[in-house]
Amino acid sequence: MQYIDLHVHSNCSDGTCTPEELVQLALDNELVAFALTDHDTVDGVSRAMAAAKDRPISVIPGVELSCEYVVSPEKKKEIHILGYNIDYTMSELLDTLTGVAEERDNRNRKMCENLHDAGFPIDYESLIQRFGSNILTRAHFARFLLEQGAIPSIDSAFKKILAENGPYFVVRRYLTPEEGIRLIKKAGGVPVLAHPLLYKLSVTELHNLITELKGYGLKGIEAMYSRNHGNDEAFVRKLAKDFDLFITGGTDFHGANKPDLEIGRGEGNLRVPVMLLENLK
């Protein structure tokens, strides 16, 4: 059996491996393909594809778009739409991602100010010096604070000081799901809902979400995922069948930012079979 990984991050967003290192890691783990799906950027795609040239592995050009879904007038959720086999050179895609990066940058500056004013050893300039000018996410905040000895673990930071309902969090403007799916389709790509169970929606809310996204052109749903437990995969497979969606699978590999995961090998011995590539054509 040959295996793949359709959800991988590099240090062009919030992973810790370079695109080139990901290619070597994937080969070391005997994968035949992986998708580079960095958060709101395609900066690493060409590098990964160049590193894979003339080697026995394929890199699928992808992206993971952060979108804001309105569950109800009182409730909003950040959801992620994966785009596969996109034209990563399309000007509208690049212009949109530049705008998203600027919005995120403004949010990050304000969050740094909030944390610094509260006594945490962090400021925006030090954050940039440590991680460079790539897409900075809360994972970078957590890693920086961990290195400064200000928190016991990355997980604890997300549960407390970096939580969306925490005192230091700053809201930013997101793409809508309609905008995200339309952008992926315009770039010639295939839109897929990432890790649907992480959003902690009720079954009715999840059905409503998928119904809405289907109306915009959603094609698939990530059923095989490294954080699945118990009957989670079977539940998402049932959703896929009920809503006439294909399934994908991936680890959500982030390198040292999720140290319990290997590329191509998730929690519970997750392995994604190569035949799922057929769904992305």
Side-chain angles (χ1 to χ4, degrees):
M1 175 73 74
Q2 293 180 315
Y3 297 101
I4 60 175
D5 193 336
L6 298 179
H7 195 156
V8 175
H9 296 276
S10 78
N11 65 354
C12 291
S13 65
D14 58 345
T16 58
C17 299
T18 67
E20 295 82 4
E21 288 170 339
L22 288 176
V23 171
Q24 187 58 56
L25 279 174
L27 286 167
D28 291 344
N29 281 332
E30 301 180 335
L31 300 184
V32 295
F34 74 92
L36 183 56
T37 54
D38 277 320
H39 291 287
D40 303 318
T41 182
V42 292
D43 286 354
V45 171
S46 61
R47 290 170 54 188
M49 294 182 78
K53 187 178 181 182
D54 299 325
R55 305 181 78 182
I57 191 165
S58 298
V59 174
I60 299 155
V63 70
E64 184 173 13
L65 298 181
S66 304
C67 302
E68 185 175 76
Y69 171 64
V70 179
V71 182
S72 69
E74 301 80 25
K75 183 178 179 181
K76 297 178 180 179
K77 282 281 185 178
E78 179 182 339
I79 67 168
H80 293 170
I81 308 294
L82 294 158
Y84 295 109
N85 284 323
I86 56 171
D87 175 3
Y88 58 94
T89 67
M90 189 186 80
S91 59
E92 184 176 341
L93 174 69
L94 298 176
D95 290 345
T96 300
L97 295 181
T98 296
V100 168
E102 290 173 352
E103 178 71 20
R104 191 193 295 266
D105 184 63
N106 291 334
R107 189 278 300 269
N108 287 341
R109 289 178 182 273
K110 292 175 184 176
M111 280 188 65
C112 275
E113 290 177 9
N114 291 347
L115 289 163
H116 185 268
D117 291 346
F120 288 95
I122 190 171
D123 61 82
Y124 188 76
E125 288 69 28
S126 297
L127 203 64
I128 289 293
Q129 184 177 5
R130 169 63 180 85
F131 295 108
S133 58
N134 55 344
I135 299 292
L136 295 177
T137 70
R138 284 181 291 164
H140 294 98
F141 281 69
R143 188 162 187 81
F144 185 89
L145 291 170
L146 181 67
E147 291 172 353
Q148 299 301 309
I151 57 172
S153 68
I154 288 176
D155 186 57
S156 69
F158 275 91
K159 289 180 177 178
K160 296 178 181 179
I161 62 173
L162 298 177
E164 291 184 14
N165 58 353
Y168 315 115
F169 185 77
V170 176
V171 176
R172 68 180 177 93
R173 194 263 172 187
Y174 288 85
L175 296 174
T176 67
E178 182 177 13
E179 289 172 331
I181 290 175
R182 182 197 63 81
L183 187 64
I184 290 168
K185 291 175 64 180
K186 192 163 186 180
V190 181
V192 172
L193 177 63
H195 42 59
L197 300 187
L198 290 194
Y199 310 130
K200 305 300 182 184
L201 298 172
S202 70
V203 173
T204 298
E205 289 171 339
L206 191 53
H207 283 198
N208 290 340
L209 167 63
I210 297 172
T211 298
E212 182 174 330
L213 299 188
K214 276 275 291 187
Y216 303 141
L218 186 75
K219 298 297 183 185
I221 191 168
E222 190 173 44
M224 303 180 71
Y225 185 66
S226 57
R227 300 305 192 202
N228 283 347
H229 297 284
N231 294 322
D232 287 351
E233 183 180 323
F235 176 76
V236 180
R237 283 178 177 272
K238 178 68 162 49
L239 286 175
K241 182 178 180 181
D242 291 345
F243 287 90
D244 192 26
L245 298 169
F246 62 72
I247 67 164
T248 66
T251 59
D252 206 359
F253 178 75
H254 281 70
N257 284 338
K258 291 187 178 180
D260 59 320
L261 300 177
E262 293 183 62
I263 189 169
R265 298 174 185 269
E267 237 176 61
N269 296 317
L270 172 74
R271 301 300 304 273
V272 181
V274 69
M275 69 269 299
L276 291 192
L277 279 181
E278 292 297 317
N279 293 334
L280 304 184
K281 291 183 179 178

